[in-house]
Amino acid sequence: MARFGYFLSCEEHGPVELVEQARMAEQAGFDCLWISDHYHPWNDQQGQSPFVWSVIGALSRAVSLPVEPAVTCPLVRTHPAVIAQAAATSAVQLGGRFRLGVGSGEALNEHILGTVWPEASVRLDMLEEAVQLIRRLLTGDQISHRGRHYVVENARVYTVPEETVPIDVSAFGPQAAETAARIGDGLITMAPDAGLVERFRRAGGESKPVAGGLKVCWSADRCEAVRTAHRLWANEQLPGELAQILPSPRHFEQASQLITEEQVAASVPCGDNPDEHAKALSAFVDAGFDAVYVSQIGKEQQGFFDFYHTNVLPRLRG
C-alpha cells in the first residue's frame, strides 16, 4: 500500500510554523514528511526560506515521522562533503527515520556564490560524483578525493548513524531517471508520470521506491483557493527548464505573469471537494508510486489537516 506524506514548504513558512505543521500532519494521520531546501523562495509573495538543516533538527524532537529533504542540491551552494555531515547528523537525530533526497538544483538557489551555473548534462555528472562522495563519507572513514568536480582532503565525518542513509535522486526527464536508477536508492519526481517510472524501473530501479509530490489549496471557498494558489505558486505552471535557469524571485514573478488563474485551477486541486483531492493523489498511486506527498498552499493549514484526516486519507486508504 502506498504511503501518504505531507510536504513542508520552506518557501512559505518560517521554522516555528513548519514544526507546528509537522505535528499537525502526524496528528492528521500522515505517514511521513518531506521538507524543501531553498535559499530563496520562488517569489516574494511566498516570503520565507529558513535553513532546512536547523528545521530538520527541530523536527527530530517534535514528531515520530520519517523526514526527508526534497530535495537538497549538493553541487554548488553547498559542497557534498558538508551535505554528508548534515545528513549524518540528521540521521543520528532521527534514529533511522531519515532519507536524503538530492537533485541537480536550480539557479535560483545555487548561483548565489557567483559561480557559473552549468548546463543540465554537466549538473547530472556533478550529481553522480557528489553522491559517490557523500556515500563514502557516510561510512565514517577518512577519505581524500580528487575528482572531475570536487576535491576533498583528509575528511572524516565522525558522527555517523549505525545504518547507512538511503539517498533518493530527483528526476524529471529520461536521462535523469536513468541516472537516478544507477546512483540512487529511490526516485523522486513531481508528476504522476508512469512512463518516467517505467524508465527508472528498466534502468536498474526495479525494487527501489518511487515518491512524488503535489500541491493543493484547500478552502471552503474554491474561488479564493484558486486565487491563493495563483498568487503564491503560479510558478509551478512554467514550462520547460525555466525553473532550473531563472536566477531570482523577481524573474519568476515576471515569468509567472504569463500564467492565468484558469491554468492554475486546471492543474491544482482547489477547494473542499474530497473526491478531487483523492483523485489527484490516486493518480500517483496508479502510475506506480510508492509514496505521495501533498503540500497545502497558503495559511489555512489547520482546516486542510482536518479535511484530509476526515475526508481524504480514509478514501485513499479504503
Side-chain angles (χ1 to χ4, degrees):
M1 177 180 289
R3 296 183 304 154
F4 298 99
Y6 188 70
F7 194 171
L8 298 163
S9 173
C10 284
E11 302 94 325
E12 280 193 67
H13 306 284
V16 175
E17 292 78 15
L18 291 166
V19 172
E20 181 55 33
Q21 289 167 24
R23 292 193 182 100
M24 289 191 287
E26 184 165 29
Q27 292 168 2
F30 284 94
D31 301 312
C32 37
L33 297 170
W34 269 357
I35 183 166
S36 57
D37 179 7
H38 268 236
Y39 194 89
H40 295 137
W42 298 97
N43 56 61
D44 284 353
Q45 284 290 313
Q46 292 172 359
Q48 293 286 340
S49 203
F51 186 57
V52 70
W53 301 104
S54 298
V55 182
I56 289 173
L59 294 174
S60 73
R61 310 307 300 167
V63 296
S64 62
L65 299 179
V67 178
E68 179 170 11
V71 292
T72 288
C73 177
L75 305 189
V76 179
R77 169 172 54 105
T78 313
H79 193 282
V82 178
I83 295 297
Q85 186 184 30
T89 298
S90 298
V92 170
Q93 287 178 302
L94 283 155
R97 294 180 287 121
F98 179 78
R99 297 179 74 94
L100 176 61
V102 298
S104 58
E106 306 92 14
L108 174 70
N109 303 302
E110 306 305 321
H111 84 293
I112 60 167
L113 302 180
T115 52
V116 173
W117 182 237
E119 63 182 23
S121 60
V122 176
R123 298 200 308 271
L124 280 178
D125 192 53
M126 295 173 71
L127 183 62
E128 185 161 359
E129 184 177 335
V131 168
Q132 292 170 354
L133 185 54
I134 291 167
R135 289 193 192 277
R136 291 179 64 194
L137 285 164
L138 286 171
T139 65
D141 296 336
Q142 180 175 302
I143 73 163
S144 293
H145 172 88
R146 289 189 176 273
R148 182 180 302 180
H149 304 289
Y150 302 107
V151 174
V152 171
E153 291 186 353
N154 305 324
R156 179 183 173 188
V157 176
Y158 277 80
T159 300
V160 294
E162 293 182 2
E163 297 184 359
T164 188
V165 176
I167 301 177
D168 299 325
V169 177
S170 174
F172 298 95
Q175 182 182 359
E178 291 176 1
T179 299
R182 185 173 66 255
I183 70 172
D185 298 306
L187 172 69
I188 289 172
T189 192
M190 296 298 165
D193 186 340
L196 190 74
V197 174
E198 178 61 25
R199 187 130 187 178
F200 172 76
R201 298 291 188 209
R202 290 200 311 267
E206 294 89 348
S207 60
K208 299 175 181 178
V210 176
L214 75 161
K215 288 182 169 56
V216 305
C217 191
W218 173 87
S219 173
D221 183 336
R222 188 177 190 278
C223 292
E224 179 61 28
V226 171
R227 287 192 292 270
T228 298
H230 180 262
R231 177 174 59 85
L232 292 173
W233 285 95
N235 60 279
E236 285 270 293
Q237 310 309 318
L238 293 174
E241 292 186 67
L242 286 178
Q244 282 73 52
I245 64 175
L246 293 179
S248 74
R250 178 170 57 88
H251 292 98
F252 278 95
E253 290 163 5
Q254 293 168 355
S256 294
Q257 292 175 19
L258 302 172
I259 305 301
T260 66
E261 287 189 4
E262 289 74 19
Q263 287 174 284
V264 171
S267 302
V268 179
C270 292
D272 62 353
N273 182 336
D275 291 331
E276 182 180 359
H277 286 258
K279 182 179 178 181
L281 274 71
S282 294
F284 285 85
V285 179
D286 295 341
F289 284 67
D290 302 289
V292 189
Y293 293 77
V294 59
S295 182
Q296 161 70 355
I297 297 171
K299 301 295 184 183
E300 295 199 55
Q301 295 289 320
Q302 186 62 67
F304 161 85
F305 284 117
D306 290 343
F307 171 69
Y308 264 65
H309 173 69
T310 303
N311 296 298
V312 180
L313 291 178
R315 274 176 168 78
L316 294 168
R317 290 168 176 151

